[in-house]
Amino acid sequence: MISSEFIIIWLVPVVLAIVLIAVVSLEHLLLLTLFLTPLSIQISYLTGAAPFDLSLPTEPVMAMLLFVTLFKLVVSREFSPGLLRHPVTVVIALYLIWTLVSSLTSTLAVVSFKTLAYRLWFISGFYLIAAQLFTGDGPDRKYISAYSAGLAVVVIFFLVRVGSAGLLNQKFAHSACYPFYRDHTSFGASLAFLLPPLTVMVFQRGKSGVRCRLPLALLILLFTAGLIFSYSRAAWVSLIAAVAVTFILWLRIPKRVLFPISAVILLMIALSAGRIWERMDSTTEDSSADLAQHLRSSSNISTDQSNLERINRWKCALRMFAEKPLFGWGPGTYQFKYAPFQRSEDKTVISTDFGDAGNAHSEYLGALSEGGLPGALLFLLLAITAMLTGIRVWYREKQSRQGYFVLAVLTGLITYMIHGAMNSFLDTDKIAALWWGFIAILVAADVKGGSASGRTRVGGLKGTAR
């Protein structure tokens, strides 16, 4: 095979090793997958051109975990009833069912069923298997550490490249994380996700004590530098806003007061939307190497081309929704269908007439255009239910070691709930591993606390053989 230049022969021992790990311990396979996720590379980068794109080596492993999950769900029935009946799991099931329905009515069926496939294997591995492991004495902190270890390699690679071109070279920083991350925004989103739980973990006394604190402290410093020099305004804004929300939760305001106040604040923001828009339209700060000015430029919708293009995509998503409000255009189809919905007055210097420059730049509007109103409502319900689960666990656990860890995980999740209004990365393994994994940590903590369904059987998974 080597003499025939059939290089795929080198993958055989790798595949056999992965199968062996799956047989021995699903926990170790999951942790290995998490470590490799930030380091995964698209097939298109390796081959130059491919009929389909896939992240190697993680997505094939996740596809295998999907079949393992189905076996344990249907045949051996090893999943905790409390986990399967949890409100978040129920919403996820409805979300997947609607993905199937909207795929059947899709304008591009092949694209939509591929989207359904990767949602299935992301959820099966990063949510179901992870949550079941966490309901026992599972490795919830190891989950974060494993991903962080892989991401640390990417951050070092990024900082070395940026340092060679000049730390203030903002334009180069946007692509310095390639080929591991598509651009600086998804890279920054990952760092914002992880900084809150890592910060709490470094101050908590575990079994390893001081031995783990020094590496965690170094990771925090490394990730902070990566976040700053990524020049990702969305990541900066989302982390600042999430910390503000967390501070309010930390005050432990009674829930009967917290929720009405939150509703009033959201209503005030909605009623002030016009004035906020006018203020943003009058802002003329452009992106800059000056960090303060670069942050202020996030509200510039008059001259900043990145912000204007984002608004162009949002308007396209709303026009697509208006044409197909019930079923949408089909999961994953936005980037192939939005071009005709652009208007000349909305186009920017970075717009394309071919509609080949990415997605809707919003998880919520992307779901609206691709899955119709039911798809958008289900995704929004998923985010709200996950957040309420985290709040419930925090109030129940109080200021305990587990309580602070859950609050930090919730903070990380909130960063992407905010970031998701400005970008869309859940179709990538890099962000899906954190989004679904953090939800799994919150749900498992809720199930273990017994608030989801009273007394429930909890425990780990046996593995394919164990």
PDB file of all heavy atoms in Angstrom, residues 24 35 44 54-55 66-67 80 89 215 279 331 357 384 414:
ATOM      1  N   VAL A  24     -11.695  -0.429  26.562  1.00  0.00           N
ATOM      2  CA  VAL A  24     -11.179  -0.433  27.937  1.00  0.00           C
ATOM      3  C   VAL A  24     -11.858   0.618  28.804  1.00  0.00           C
ATOM      4  O   VAL A  24     -12.289   0.353  29.915  1.00  0.00           O
ATOM      5  CB  VAL A  24      -9.652  -0.213  27.934  1.00  0.00           C
ATOM      6  CG1 VAL A  24      -9.126  -0.076  29.360  1.00  0.00           C
ATOM      7  CG2 VAL A  24      -8.959  -1.363  27.225  1.00  0.00           C
ATOM      8  N   PHE A  35      -8.615  16.467  24.453  1.00  0.00           N
ATOM      9  CA  PHE A  35      -7.260  17.001  24.291  1.00  0.00           C
ATOM     10  C   PHE A  35      -6.952  17.268  22.821  1.00  0.00           C
ATOM     11  O   PHE A  35      -6.323  18.278  22.469  1.00  0.00           O
ATOM     12  CB  PHE A  35      -6.237  16.018  24.868  1.00  0.00           C
ATOM     13  CG  PHE A  35      -4.810  16.397  24.577  1.00  0.00           C
ATOM     14  CD1 PHE A  35      -4.188  17.428  25.272  1.00  0.00           C
ATOM     15  CD2 PHE A  35      -4.090  15.734  23.591  1.00  0.00           C
ATOM     16  CE1 PHE A  35      -2.878  17.794  24.992  1.00  0.00           C
ATOM     17  CE2 PHE A  35      -2.784  16.090  23.309  1.00  0.00           C
ATOM     18  CZ  PHE A  35      -2.167  17.116  24.010  1.00  0.00           C
ATOM     19  N   SER A  44      -9.831  19.647   4.412  1.00  0.00           N
ATOM     20  CA  SER A  44      -9.563  20.568   3.308  1.00  0.00           C
ATOM     21  C   SER A  44      -8.191  21.218   3.431  1.00  0.00           C
ATOM     22  O   SER A  44      -7.539  21.519   2.430  1.00  0.00           O
ATOM     23  CB  SER A  44     -10.644  21.649   3.246  1.00  0.00           C
ATOM     24  OG  SER A  44     -10.706  22.361   4.473  1.00  0.00           O
ATOM     25  N   LEU A  54     -14.163  17.657   7.296  1.00  0.00           N
ATOM     26  CA  LEU A  54     -14.254  16.911   8.535  1.00  0.00           C
ATOM     27  C   LEU A  54     -13.033  17.268   9.369  1.00  0.00           C
ATOM     28  O   LEU A  54     -11.940  17.463   8.832  1.00  0.00           O
ATOM     29  CB  LEU A  54     -14.274  15.409   8.241  1.00  0.00           C
ATOM     30  CG  LEU A  54     -14.925  14.486   9.268  1.00  0.00           C
ATOM     31  CD1 LEU A  54     -16.414  14.755   9.375  1.00  0.00           C
ATOM     32  CD2 LEU A  54     -14.696  13.029   8.851  1.00  0.00           C
ATOM     33  N   SER A  55     -13.215  17.365  10.684  1.00  0.00           N
ATOM     34  CA  SER A  55     -12.082  17.641  11.570  1.00  0.00           C
ATOM     35  C   SER A  55     -11.403  16.332  11.949  1.00  0.00           C
ATOM     36  O   SER A  55     -12.049  15.420  12.465  1.00  0.00           O
ATOM     37  CB  SER A  55     -12.551  18.358  12.841  1.00  0.00           C
ATOM     38  OG  SER A  55     -12.969  19.671  12.551  1.00  0.00           O
ATOM     39  N   LEU A  66     -21.079   7.953  18.714  1.00  0.00           N
ATOM     40  CA  LEU A  66     -22.519   7.987  18.471  1.00  0.00           C
ATOM     41  C   LEU A  66     -23.094   6.576  18.479  1.00  0.00           C
ATOM     42  O   LEU A  66     -24.141   6.316  19.102  1.00  0.00           O
ATOM     43  CB  LEU A  66     -22.804   8.674  17.136  1.00  0.00           C
ATOM     44  CG  LEU A  66     -24.251   8.601  16.625  1.00  0.00           C
ATOM     45  CD1 LEU A  66     -25.218   9.240  17.616  1.00  0.00           C
ATOM     46  CD2 LEU A  66     -24.363   9.268  15.257  1.00  0.00           C
ATOM     47  N   PHE A  67     -22.413   5.636  17.832  1.00  0.00           N
ATOM     48  CA  PHE A  67     -22.892   4.256  17.810  1.00  0.00           C
ATOM     49  C   PHE A  67     -22.784   3.614  19.187  1.00  0.00           C
ATOM     50  O   PHE A  67     -23.652   2.834  19.592  1.00  0.00           O
ATOM     51  CB  PHE A  67     -22.096   3.446  16.777  1.00  0.00           C
ATOM     52  CG  PHE A  67     -22.376   3.843  15.357  1.00  0.00           C
ATOM     53  CD1 PHE A  67     -21.480   4.620  14.646  1.00  0.00           C
ATOM     54  CD2 PHE A  67     -23.560   3.458  14.734  1.00  0.00           C
ATOM     55  CE1 PHE A  67     -21.744   5.009  13.337  1.00  0.00           C
ATOM     56  CE2 PHE A  67     -23.830   3.833  13.424  1.00  0.00           C
ATOM     57  CZ  PHE A  67     -22.924   4.615  12.727  1.00  0.00           C
ATOM     58  N   SER A  80     -28.587   6.958  33.167  1.00  0.00           N
ATOM     59  CA  SER A  80     -29.393   7.271  34.342  1.00  0.00           C
ATOM     60  C   SER A  80     -30.775   7.781  33.936  1.00  0.00           C
ATOM     61  O   SER A  80     -30.887   8.661  33.079  1.00  0.00           O
ATOM     62  CB  SER A  80     -28.676   8.341  35.175  1.00  0.00           C
ATOM     63  OG  SER A  80     -29.576   8.970  36.055  1.00  0.00           O
ATOM     64  N   THR A  89     -32.326  17.516  28.778  1.00  0.00           N
ATOM     65  CA  THR A  89     -32.255  16.383  27.851  1.00  0.00           C
ATOM     66  C   THR A  89     -33.503  16.312  26.988  1.00  0.00           C
ATOM     67  O   THR A  89     -33.423  16.024  25.785  1.00  0.00           O
ATOM     68  CB  THR A  89     -32.081  15.069  28.637  1.00  0.00           C
ATOM     69  OG1 THR A  89     -30.968  15.179  29.535  1.00  0.00           O
ATOM     70  CG2 THR A  89     -31.823  13.900  27.678  1.00  0.00           C
ATOM     71  N   PRO A 215       0.332  24.669  37.494  1.00  0.00           N
ATOM     72  CA  PRO A 215      -0.015  24.537  36.068  1.00  0.00           C
ATOM     73  C   PRO A 215      -1.290  25.293  35.700  1.00  0.00           C
ATOM     74  O   PRO A 215      -1.368  25.889  34.624  1.00  0.00           O
ATOM     75  CB  PRO A 215      -0.191  23.022  35.882  1.00  0.00           C
ATOM     76  CG  PRO A 215       0.585  22.404  36.977  1.00  0.00           C
ATOM     77  CD  PRO A 215       0.489  23.345  38.129  1.00  0.00           C
ATOM     78  N   ARG A 279     -27.166  55.416  19.114  1.00  0.00           N
ATOM     79  CA  ARG A 279     -25.852  55.678  19.725  1.00  0.00           C
ATOM     80  C   ARG A 279     -24.759  54.893  18.999  1.00  0.00           C
ATOM     81  O   ARG A 279     -23.663  55.420  18.734  1.00  0.00           O
ATOM     82  CB  ARG A 279     -25.893  55.300  21.213  1.00  0.00           C
ATOM     83  CG  ARG A 279     -24.593  55.513  21.945  1.00  0.00           C
ATOM     84  CD  ARG A 279     -24.267  56.979  22.060  1.00  0.00           C
ATOM     85  NE  ARG A 279     -22.997  57.184  22.754  1.00  0.00           N
ATOM     86  CZ  ARG A 279     -22.887  57.333  24.067  1.00  0.00           C
ATOM     87  NH1 ARG A 279     -23.985  57.303  24.833  1.00  0.00           N
ATOM     88  NH2 ARG A 279     -21.716  57.522  24.618  1.00  0.00           N
ATOM     89  N   PRO A 331     -31.272  22.910   8.013  1.00  0.00           N
ATOM     90  CA  PRO A 331     -30.053  23.040   8.825  1.00  0.00           C
ATOM     91  C   PRO A 331     -28.792  23.098   7.965  1.00  0.00           C
ATOM     92  O   PRO A 331     -28.619  22.313   7.037  1.00  0.00           O
ATOM     93  CB  PRO A 331     -30.077  21.758   9.673  1.00  0.00           C
ATOM     94  CG  PRO A 331     -31.519  21.383   9.760  1.00  0.00           C
ATOM     95  CD  PRO A 331     -32.105  21.768   8.434  1.00  0.00           C
ATOM     96  N   ALA A 357     -19.087  33.005   2.073  1.00  0.00           N
ATOM     97  CA  ALA A 357     -18.194  33.583   3.090  1.00  0.00           C
ATOM     98  C   ALA A 357     -18.662  33.299   4.510  1.00  0.00           C
ATOM     99  O   ALA A 357     -18.434  34.096   5.409  1.00  0.00           O
ATOM    100  CB  ALA A 357     -18.052  35.083   2.871  1.00  0.00           C
ATOM    101  N   ILE A 384     -31.924  28.733  27.728  1.00  0.00           N
ATOM    102  CA  ILE A 384     -32.576  29.204  28.965  1.00  0.00           C
ATOM    103  C   ILE A 384     -32.664  28.081  29.989  1.00  0.00           C
ATOM    104  O   ILE A 384     -32.382  28.276  31.181  1.00  0.00           O
ATOM    105  CB  ILE A 384     -33.976  29.762  28.645  1.00  0.00           C
ATOM    106  CG1 ILE A 384     -33.854  31.048  27.810  1.00  0.00           C
ATOM    107  CG2 ILE A 384     -34.758  30.032  29.923  1.00  0.00           C
ATOM    108  CD1 ILE A 384     -35.176  31.567  27.285  1.00  0.00           C
ATOM    109  N   ILE A 414     -22.442  31.167  29.837  1.00  0.00           N
ATOM    110  CA  ILE A 414     -23.081  32.451  29.542  1.00  0.00           C
ATOM    111  C   ILE A 414     -22.244  33.253  28.550  1.00  0.00           C
ATOM    112  O   ILE A 414     -22.786  33.983  27.713  1.00  0.00           O
ATOM    113  CB  ILE A 414     -23.325  33.244  30.836  1.00  0.00           C
ATOM    114  CG1 ILE A 414     -24.406  32.556  31.682  1.00  0.00           C
ATOM    115  CG2 ILE A 414     -23.765  34.677  30.535  1.00  0.00           C
ATOM    116  CD1 ILE A 414     -24.599  33.160  33.060  1.00  0.00           C
TER     117      ILE A 414
END
